[in-house]
Structures are given as structure tokens and as C-alpha cells.
Amino acid sequence: MHTSQMPDVCVVGLGYIGLPTAAIIARSGARVLGVDVSREVVATINRGEIHIEEVDLDGLVRGVVQRGLLVATETVQPADAFVIAVPTPFARDGKHTPDISYVLSAAQEVARVLRPGNIIILESTSPVGTTEQMRDLIASLRPDLKLPGLTRETPDIAIAYCPERVLPGRILEELANNDRSIGGITPRCARKALSFYKRFVRGTCVTTDARSAEMTKLVENAYRDVNIAFANELSIIADAMGLDVWEVIRLANRHPRVNILQPGPGVGGHCIAVDPWFIVHGAPEQAPLIRTARGVNDSKIHHAIARATELVESAPGAKVACLGLAFKANIDDFRESPARLVAATLARRFGERIHVVEPHAAQLPMEFTDTGAQLIDIDAALEDCDVLIVLVDHDVFKAVPLAERADKLVYDTRGIWPDQPVPATIAGEMRKAG
Ligand code: SAJ
């Protein structure tokens, strides 16, 4: 695509969702303009390279950039369709107030170039009512346009909310194959958005209204958070009772209607640890379970820190390896990661005794600076460290044979080594309790 040619689709925000989405739309043959505020991200993509790690994304982006179907820039330009995929964090105000300022500033940029016949689709996870707020902002900036829900005539613009629901590590596959909920500000908007997604989504697209689609996305992640909280609470109970939580869950899951998830060092990432707060914020009196689940999952991080600290203190002078920093297995994403918090807390406390193994990191994150902690590889850890703290269930850790770890002191927060013997010197619950 020459920069002079008008793109079919403009994707605003080229992060973990926006970039794969832009690339998949481009693969379907559409001319896509990707917009990001970061000059570096724009330059990287225009070289046919990527700034995030995601299975098969590098080849896909290289291909569509080479064919001229994907071009990145720093400014929104006219197009037929606009897809907004920018972050929606919560404010650090102690009240977890959703921060939709990135969505609104993206909408403001889009408003500048909007023309009759355009469609705007918001994909960012958003509190209920955000799509309408976005519409109202655009209405105030472009009084010349008839916007859906505000006019009795046929509107000039269609606006819909269509959340992504892809799993990091499987994004490309899930973008194409997952079912999608498509919420229009009006049924007409939903139908327009449906025909947009049909071009590149193989899963079933179900239409609804914008507010229901917003809530559906939040509910999906809150559901998972509540279920993980159940597993994490069980692990803390099992620890207090001297039981092996993994064994209990394995047995309970043999019941045909029980499917308990896996405990871990807490819940990380930028979705499951954030989105439930959007529901709590919207209905604070009505959401005690969702709020409590967040609390349980956060408290599991402190439990893991306390357990790990006890183990390190039980082996004075021993070298310690923290296995993993990512927020979950086999990805390079360290945002809101409990593993990272546990390892950094140990590094601050025990300094150079702490070693970190993270195959997806080239260097330790900032908070490790001046702690004395070092990044090493798994072979060095198995050779030199007597204490192993498993924080992430990366495949490379799961594959460590028993013979190479049988004589170590282990705290396995992920239950990846069920065959690890319990040394007589530490309490039975120490090794396995999640
Ligand atoms: N976790 C556990 N135990 C489990 C499952 C997960 O401790 O049994 C932890 C993980 O280690 C991680 C956190 O929970 O720290 C979240 O991981 P995840 O794999 O459950 O989810 P995410 O954050 O990678 O992606 C979620 C997905 N949502 C649901 O499964 C309902 C994904 O489909 C969404 O698209 C994504 O959030 C998002 O962007 O909202």
C-alpha cells in the first residue's frame, strides 16, 4: 500500500491485541494502517519486525508488510473502518477506578478524520457504558455527523463494541477461530460490525447490544478469576492442614461435575487481575464475591513470598534459583506478574544469594538493579543452586528430570514436579503446598 492510498482499515493501538489483529485483517487482503503512539513501535513494524513475542506473529507481520498490506504510522488517517485496541488500565487511586482515557483520546483522533459510511469498533476491555461515552465524545466533536442512538434518521457512522478474547501464546489461532460477541450501539451497527468480522473470523459471531458485550467480556475474566481464587484458597487451606493440594484437586476433578483450576503464586497479567475491578467499580454493593476473589488471589502472592522466605532462611548461605518471571507459562510478558514480585522481594531481602532463571528475558527488570541478584540459565541453576523456587510453569522447567533436582530444597508454587521427594528436614507441606 502506498501511503497515499486510503487504507480499508485503521487499527489504533499496536500492542498484544492490535498488532495481531491488524496483521490478520491484512492477511485477508484488506489494506491496513496500524497506528501507535510509539515511534519505535511504528519503525519496527515498518521494517517487517515485531516488538512483542507471540507464536508465529513474526512471519505473519513480515509477510503482510512486505506485500504492502500493513503500514504503521503515528497518526490516524481516513479509512473505511476503525478498530480501537488501546489499553484500559485502572487508576492507581486505591479505588481501582477504570481509566478509559486512552480509549477517549483514540476516539478523539478518529473523530478528526471520520466520514459518512465509516464504522468504529472498540475492542479494548472496557467498563460498561464506554462505547456510548465514546459515541457521545465523537458527537460533541463532530456535530456535522449523525451518530447511532442519537438520531431518528439513518446514522452516518456505525459504532460497535467487540471484545477480543484471545489467550497470549495462542493469539493468532484464537483471533481467527474463537467465537465473538459483537455489540452494536444499535442493531444496525451490530450488523455492520458483523460483516466486518466475517471477513477474517472463522468462529461464530453473535450480535448483541454494546453494553451487554462490554459486560460479557468483564464477566468472562471475572469468572476465571473467581475460579482461580478457589484453587488458590484451597492451596492456602491445604498448606495449613499439611495436605498436598495438587493431590486433592486431582482427586476432586475425577468427579464428573467438578473442574478445579490450578493454584499458583497469584494471578498476573493485565486482564484477569484488572477486569474484575471494572465490575466491582460499576456495582460495588452487588459484587462481594468478585471483590473477595481479587483479594484472595492477591493474598496468594504474599503467602508465596512468606513461604519462599521461610525456605530460603531454612538454608543459610545456600544459593537460590527463582524459576520464572513471566505471568504465566511460555510467554515473555512480565506485566503484573506475581512471579516477578516474589523474585524481586527475595532479591531485595537476600541479595546475591538470589538467582533468576527466565529464558524469555535478556536482562532482569529494573527493580532487581542493585539487589545483587543475577539472571542465569537453567543449567547453571541446577548446577549451583541448592534451593529452587518454581514460580512459572515454563515447559523448560517442567522438563527438568528428577535426577537433576532430587537433592534440592524445592518450593513449587505451580505443582510442576509431583515426583519431587520431600526432604526429612522440612515440613511435608512446604514442598507441595501451592
Ligand atoms: N492462572 C492460575 N491458575 C490457572 C489458570 C491461570 O494461577 O489454573 C494464572 C496464570 O498463571 C496467570 C493468570 O492466572 O497468572 C491469568 O492467566 P490466564 O491464562 O488465565 O489468562 P490470560 O490473562 O492470559 O488471558 C485471559 C483469558 N481469559 C479467559 O480465559 C476468561 C483470555 O481469553 C482473554 O482474552 C484475556 O484474559 C484478555 O485479554 O482479557
Side-chain angles (χ1 to χ4, degrees):
M1 177 175 52
H2 293 292
T3 33
S4 56
Q5 229 174 342
M6 194 180 86
D8 302 311
V9 183
C10 177
V11 177
V12 187
L14 295 174
Y16 279 86
I17 301 302
L19 179 57
T21 303
I24 281 207
I25 300 174
R27 186 176 63 184
S28 76
R31 287 162 309 183
V32 179
L33 184 78
V35 180
D36 202 279
V37 288
S38 159
R39 184 171 299 176
E40 220 175 290
V41 166
V42 167
T44 306
I45 293 168
N46 284 334
R47 284 198 304 271
E49 293 166 13
I50 56 176
H51 60 292
I52 52 178
E53 200 175 294
E54 178 59 41
V55 179
D56 297 337
L57 184 63
D58 48 355
L60 176 61
V61 168
R62 198 181 323 117
V64 289
V65 169
Q66 271 169 6
R67 287 163 61 202
L69 290 169
L70 174 64
V71 171
T73 95
E74 285 171 62
T75 47
V76 174
Q77 288 168 28
D80 294 332
F82 296 87
V83 174
I84 298 179
V86 294
T88 44
F90 52 67
R92 305 271 166 197
D93 60 355
K95 289 182 252 161
H96 302 101
T97 310
D99 173 4
I100 60 164
S101 58
Y102 297 104
V103 171
L104 296 181
S105 62
Q108 198 167 343
E109 288 296 298
V110 170
R112 233 176 7 89
V113 299
L114 266 187
R115 293 170 327 163
N118 285 167
I119 179 166
I120 308 172
I121 297 164
L122 176 60
E123 287 210 0
S124 312
T125 304
S126 299
V128 175
T130 305
T131 312
E132 287 168 355
Q133 271 193 60
M134 190 176 86
R135 185 264 326 263
D136 293 344
L137 174 69
I138 294 168
S140 72
L141 296 167
R142 292 293 303 270
D144 56 311
L145 294 172
K146 293 191 278 295
L147 291 177
L150 301 178
T151 175
R152 292 199 173 177
E153 297 166 56
T154 306
D156 294 321
I157 307 292
I159 302 182
Y161 178 72
C162 179
E164 55 74 25
R165 34 163 69 138
V166 294
L167 204 67
R170 294 169 45 89
I171 292 183
L172 291 184
E173 199 211 309
E174 294 207 356
L175 264 181
N177 295 319
N178 284 1
D179 293 353
R180 300 197 69 140
S181 345
I182 296 179
I185 291 252
T186 62
R188 181 176 173 279
C189 294
R191 283 194 299 276
K192 295 239 168 215
L194 178 66
S195 59
F196 174 79
Y197 282 102
K198 283 230 160 131
R199 287 194 249 156
F200 61 96
V201 170
R202 278 194 290 270
T204 307
C205 298
V206 183
T207 55
T208 181
D209 61 280
R211 291 171 67 88
S212 299
E214 287 163 343
M215 185 61 169
T216 304
K217 169 69 194 185
L218 301 180
V219 163
E220 289 165 6
N221 281 351
Y223 170 85
R224 192 153 171 86
D225 197 43
V226 168
N227 280 279
I228 299 170
F230 184 75
N232 277 334
E233 183 162 298
L234 284 184
S235 73
I236 296 171
I237 295 169
D239 193 1
M241 291 182 168
L243 290 164
D244 176 353
V245 69
W246 314 103
E247 175 78 352
V248 172
I249 291 176
R250 196 164 45 245
L251 293 175
N253 281 350
R254 296 186 74 90
H255 185 291
R257 282 173 296 284
V258 173
N259 186 11
I260 303 169
L261 295 181
Q262 298 301 301
V267 167
H270 37 283
C271 305
I272 300 211
V274 174
D275 303 352
W277 287 117
F278 292 7
I279 299 180
V280 174
H281 192 263
E285 301 296 320
Q286 291 78 20
L289 176 66
I290 295 172
R291 184 199 301 270
T292 303
R294 273 284 72 242
V296 169
N297 284 331
D298 280 347
S299 75
K300 183 62 200 288
I301 303 179
H302 301 292
H303 179 85
I305 290 173
R307 276 297 188 207
T309 303
E310 270 174 49
L311 185 61
V312 177
E313 281 174 344
S314 75
K319 286 188 179 172
V320 178
C322 293
L323 304 190
L325 289 178
F327 85 82
K328 66 177 196 175
N330 305 323
I331 61 167
D332 74 332
D333 191 340
F334 309 138
R335 291 176 292 173
E336 311 285 333
S337 169
R340 176 173 166 177
L341 188 65
V342 174
T345 307
L346 295 176
R348 272 194 303 276
R349 175 143 187 183
F350 297 104
E352 58 194 25
R353 285 181 63 197
I354 303 298
H355 300 75
V356 177
V357 182
E358 178 44 86
H360 301 273
Q363 60 197 37
L364 286 176
M366 228 164 49
E367 66 270 25
F368 289 84
T369 314
D370 297 332
T371 59
Q374 275 181 53
L375 186 66
I376 60 172
D377 65 22
I378 184 69
D379 293 328
L382 292 170
E383 212 142 286
D384 298 340
C385 298
D386 297 320
V387 178
L388 304 180
I389 298 172
V390 181
L391 298 170
V392 185
D393 42 345
H394 286 322
D395 287 346
V396 54
F397 302 151
K398 282 191 191 165
V400 173
L402 177 60
E404 294 193 49
R405 55 182 158 80
D407 59 342
K408 312 279 185 195
L409 281 177
V410 172
Y411 173 35
D412 180 0
T413 69
R414 297 279 184 178
I416 61 168
W417 294 332
D419 55 355
Q420 184 71 24
V422 186
T425 48
I426 57 169
E429 74 268 24
M430 172 62 89
R431 170 180 65 81
K432 286 184 170 173

